[in-house]
Amino acid sequence: METLKEIARKNLGIKPNNKIILSLDGGGIRGIFTLQLLKRLEEIAGSPCYEWCDMVAGTSTGAIIAGLILNKKDATQIEELYTQLVSRVFTKRSFLANRFYNPPAFDKKNYRGLLKKIIGNSSLEDLCKANGLDCLFTAKDMAAGEETFFTCINNKGSMKGTYKSVLLRGVLESTMSAPTYFSPLERFVDGGTTTYNNPAASAVLEALTYGGAGKYKLNELTVLSFGTATSLRFVDPKKTADLKGLDTMFWLNYVMEETSKDASEMQVDMLRSGLFKGLDFRRFQLSLDETTMHKLPDRNIEHVPEVEADWLHELTEEVLSHIDMADVSRFPLMKAIGESTADFICPPDEKNTPVAERKANWFRSDLIDPKTHRGTLVTAYGSVEAIKSHLSNASWLDSQITC
C-alpha cells in the first residue's frame, strides 16, 4: 500500500527520495492568490500539504499560510481561516490613521486575538514534534539590524533552532508587522522589509547548511516556491521627472515594493541558475499586467465588486498595477486571478489526459519560459536597444535634466 507521501511525489513528478520544501512569499491580501494554487496543488497531490511536505517556509502573509499548514490545516480550511484573518486584520486604527501622515494605518488587536484563538500558545517545537514538519519564518529585528530566522528542524531526533521554543503566534505577528501598515512587535517588523519577502533561498540554506545539515541533501531536494502575484510598476522614461501625485509618496511606495520584488527575483534567478546543482526548483508566480492576464484562461468577474470589467481579459493596467497589499476590496479579484492561474497550470480539459500526454505544467516542473528563462507568467518590459543607443550618445546624455 502506497503512503500519502509516495502518492503525492508520484502525482507531482517528484523523485521518491526527495524531501520537499514549500516556500510561500509575503504580499498581504494577495495571499488569497497563493491559496488558489495550493488548493489545486493538494488536489493533484491527492492529500494536504502537511501530509507530504518536509519543511514549510513563509514570510508575512505566506508565513500565516505556512503556520496554518504547520497546524495540519488543508488549503480549503486555511482559505476559510485566512478570509477571517484578512477581513479583521486591516482594521483602521482611527479615522485619522494614515500610512504616511499618521502611521500605522491599522490596529493588530483583532489579528492577535484571532491568532490566539486559532493557534493557541503552541511553540514551534511543539508543532514540529506533533506534526512532523520542519519550519522557517522570517522577521526583521530592528534592534539587531538584521533578519531573524525562526526555525525548528527535527534532525535525527534532535530539535534544532535557536528560537524553537517561541510561540508560533508571536512569530506570525512579528513577520506581518509591515511598517506604516502596522506597529512593530517590539523589535520586530515584517520579514519582507529586506530581502526575504521570498523565503525560498533562506529555506534552502537552512536545510542544507544549518539546522537541516545531513538531513537534507542538495540532489534530493525539491522546492515548491509560490509568489503572491507581483505588481510591476511601469514608469514611462519620459515621465520620471514629473511623476503623478506627491513625489514623496510615490518614492516611498516604489522603494518598499520594488526593493522587495527585485530581491525576490534575484533569489529566484540564483536558484534557477544551476549554481545549486541537482536542486529541483519550481517557482509559481504571476505579474499583474494586461499581457499576463491575456495568457490566462478568461474568467467572468461580474461578481467582483468595485471592478469595471466583466471579464478577466478586460482588466486594465490602471487596475492591475494598484492592487495594494492592504486593499481588502481587491480580495475577490485576487481570488479570481488565482483561480484562473490554477486553470492555466492545470487545465480542466487535460484532467483525464494521460500524464505523459499533458502539455501544461501541472506543478511537475518549474513554470519557466524555455526561451527567455523568465517565469512564464511574469511579463518582462525593457528596451535593450534604446538603452544602448541613449547611453552611448554623449549629446543625449548631456541633454538630460539634472534636477
Side-chain angles (χ1 to χ4, degrees), residues 21 23 25 198 200 223-227 268 281-285:
I21 295 176
S23 176
D25 290 14
N198 174 356
V223 178
L224 301 174
S225 173
F226 288 85
V268 171
F281 180 70
R282 307 180 186 185
R283 174 71 169 170
F284 303 94
Q285 175 66 308

Side-chain angles (χ1 to χ4, degrees), residues 212-239:
K215 176 179 180 178
Y216 292 84
K217 300 176 182 178
L218 181 56
N219 60 350
E220 295 181 352
L221 182 61
T222 296
V223 178
L224 301 174
S225 173
F226 288 85
T228 54
T230 181
S231 292
L232 302 181
R233 289 179 172 267
F234 308 121
V235 181
D236 187 330
K238 297 177 181 178
K239 297 180 180 179

